């Protein structure tokens, strides 16, 4: 298994365009984040890259992830698209390169695009490789296609209303690290009564409790925020320890309320 360590709390950039992405990443780096998550489809790699460059932090202290979009999951586009991402990010390599979504049934075979993913690593364009939004069956296929031990990370939606336990267990069994995205279900879970009462008992905010819950499960997580105050609050979660009873209460909130399920999404594991 790879020795790479991902800072377990990163910052997401979905929906943040141009100046909003620049400001969010700049504030996050000032507050102490060292892990940034972007994607080709977010259209903000250029702004994220400028924020990283202007922060002037040694490259080896940063962990940057980007994701290859659906249109580029073929032999012709894959590597040129990664080259373009690196150019926009002003980086020689990313730390983690993900396939953003599995190609739909009529799209390219996994054999084709995952070989390109492995080639990107071989070419030094990324330190580690992974996938996102794959089902267990698709992960099994990916493990067959990719060089042994190279599937480093799986990024999936995980929050108290969608715990995704089966996929997480599969990843654990196969030594694949898991990043839980949309930890707040885009704000929904921050209004939950159970979470608010646990927060009150700890003298913390709902956001801290949710991030601490993700971390307690051994997940990496990447909440996003446009506000310095919220970015700082989310970082404070690293100092919050939940009890086993708190964790069990939050686990029990699972109701399968998935936020990210576009029409090209796979048939999710139940
Ligand atoms: N792989 C994939 O397919 C995929 C899909 C979706 C997302 N992602 C990644 O996961 C990241 C996180 O997901 P997300 O951004 O969609 O949703 P999220 O992190 O669950 O929620 C973001 C929302 O929470 C609010 N927020 C953040 N911190 C807060 C705090 N301390 N108190 C109160 N509100 C707070 C933000 O508002 P303010 O701006 O007002 O703080 C924003 O509206 C994305 O940015 C992206 O990088 C990946």
């Amino acid at each position: 298994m790879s020795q790479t360590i991902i800072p377990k709390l990163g910052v997401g950039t979905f929906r943040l365009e141009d100046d909003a992405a620049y400001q969010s990443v700049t504030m996050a780096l000032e507050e102490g984040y060292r892990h940034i998550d972007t994607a080709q489809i977010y259209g903000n790699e250029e702004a994220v890259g400028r924020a990283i460059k202007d922060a002037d932090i040694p490259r080896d202290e940063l962990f940057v992830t980007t994701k290859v979009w659906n249109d580029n999951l073929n032999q012709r586009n894959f590597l040129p698209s990664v080259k373009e991402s690196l150019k926009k990010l002003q980086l020689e390599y990313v730390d983690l390169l993900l396939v953003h979504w599995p190609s739909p049934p009529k799209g390219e075979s996994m054999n084709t695009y995952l070989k390109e993913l492995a080639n990107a690593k071989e070419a030094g364009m990324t330190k580690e490789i992974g996938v996102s939004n794959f089902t267990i069956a698709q992960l099994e296929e990916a493990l067959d296609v990719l060089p042994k031990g190279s599937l480093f990370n799986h990024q999936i939606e995980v929050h108290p209303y969608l715990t995704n336990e089966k996929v997480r267990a599969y990843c654990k069994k196969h030594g694949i690290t898991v990043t839980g995205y949309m930890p707040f279900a885009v704000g929904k879970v921050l209004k939950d009564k159970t979470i608010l009462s646990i927060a009150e008992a700890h003298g913390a905010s709902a956001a801290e409790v949710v991030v601490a819950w993700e971390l307690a499960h051994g997940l990496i997580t990447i909440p996003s925020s446009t506000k310095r105050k919220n970015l700082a609050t989310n970082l404070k979660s690293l100092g919050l320890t939940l009890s086993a009873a708190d964790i069990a209460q939050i686990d029990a909130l699972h109701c399968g309320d998935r936020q990210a399920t576009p029409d090209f999404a796979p048939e999710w594991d139940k």
Side-chain angles (χ1 to χ4, degrees):
M1 219 173 62
S2 177
Q3 294 303 303
T4 298
I5 293 169
I6 312 187
K8 53 191 178 179
L9 181 56
V11 70
T13 62
F14 181 34
R15 286 182 301 271
L16 305 185
E17 291 174 8
D18 303 325
D19 197 47
Y22 179 86
Q23 294 301 340
S24 174
V25 173
T26 298
M27 290 186 292
L29 293 172
E30 284 170 0
E31 291 299 317
Y33 289 83
R34 290 295 179 264
H35 170 184
I36 299 151
D37 183 86
T38 182
Q40 293 175 346
I41 195 67
Y42 299 169
N44 61 17
E45 286 173 312
E46 192 272 333
V48 168
R50 260 188 301 118
I52 291 172
K53 188 169 175 33
D54 291 351
D56 201 23
I57 292 166
R59 177 66 186 92
D60 61 3
E61 289 178 20
L62 293 174
F63 192 99
V64 182
T65 301
T66 198
K67 316 182 194 82
V68 177
W69 187 242
N70 304 2
D71 296 346
N72 298 324
L73 298 183
N74 55 64
Q75 204 182 2
R76 192 166 59 104
N77 293 357
F78 198 104
L79 291 177
S81 83
V82 179
K83 204 170 162 193
E84 184 65 24
S85 289
L86 292 175
K87 192 173 157 200
K88 288 178 180 165
L89 287 163
Q90 302 186 56
L91 296 175
E92 284 175 17
Y93 64 90
V94 285
D95 297 275
L96 178 61
L97 184 69
L98 302 175
V99 165
H100 204 149
W101 287 87
S103 191
K106 284 186 184 153
E108 283 286 344
S109 78
M110 219 183 269
N111 200 36
T112 306
Y113 65 85
L114 289 186
K115 281 198 172 141
E116 294 307 314
L117 181 68
N119 286 340
K121 182 175 174 183
E122 192 65 32
M125 296 165 129
T126 184
K127 297 277 185 204
E128 298 290 353
I129 55 174
V131 295
S132 179
N133 299 302
F134 275 39
T135 62
I136 291 173
Q138 288 168 330
L139 285 172
E140 261 168 15
E141 201 180 331
L143 284 170
D144 279 347
V145 173
L146 288 168
K148 201 171 169 1
S150 67
L151 182 53
F152 177 70
N153 180 259
H154 188 203
Q155 188 176 123
I156 48 173
E157 184 174 336
V158 181
H159 47 71
Y161 293 166
L162 184 81
T163 54
N164 236 327
E165 278 180 40
K166 279 191 193 152
V167 183
R168 280 165 42 202
Y170 181 88
C171 289
K172 191 171 181 187
K173 187 170 156 206
H174 292 273
I176 304 165
T177 60
V178 177
T179 302
Y181 73 64
M182 284 184 169
F184 304 145
V186 203
K188 246 187 190 182
V189 300
L190 301 180
K191 298 183 202 119
D192 185 277
K193 280 187 191 144
T194 303
I195 291 170
L196 285 167
S197 87
I198 295 171
E200 198 182 351
H202 284 276
S205 64
E208 283 166 75
V209 168
V210 173
V211 173
W213 170 81
E214 300 253 349
L215 301 178
H217 276 303
L219 297 163
I220 298 144
T221 193
I222 47 173
S224 74
S225 177
T226 53
K227 302 188 175 77
R228 185 183 291 275
K229 184 171 163 283
N230 287 348
L231 288 164
T233 298
N234 300 344
L235 210 50
K236 267 172 63 190
S237 319
L238 291 167
L240 175 62
T241 306
L242 300 176
S243 69
D246 294 333
I247 294 168
Q249 270 194 76
I250 301 172
D251 288 346
L253 297 174
H254 172 80
C255 56
D257 186 2
R258 194 181 285 277
Q259 309 302 305
T261 187
D263 55 8
F264 52 80
E267 191 73 30
W268 299 112
D269 294 293
K270 295 283 178 242

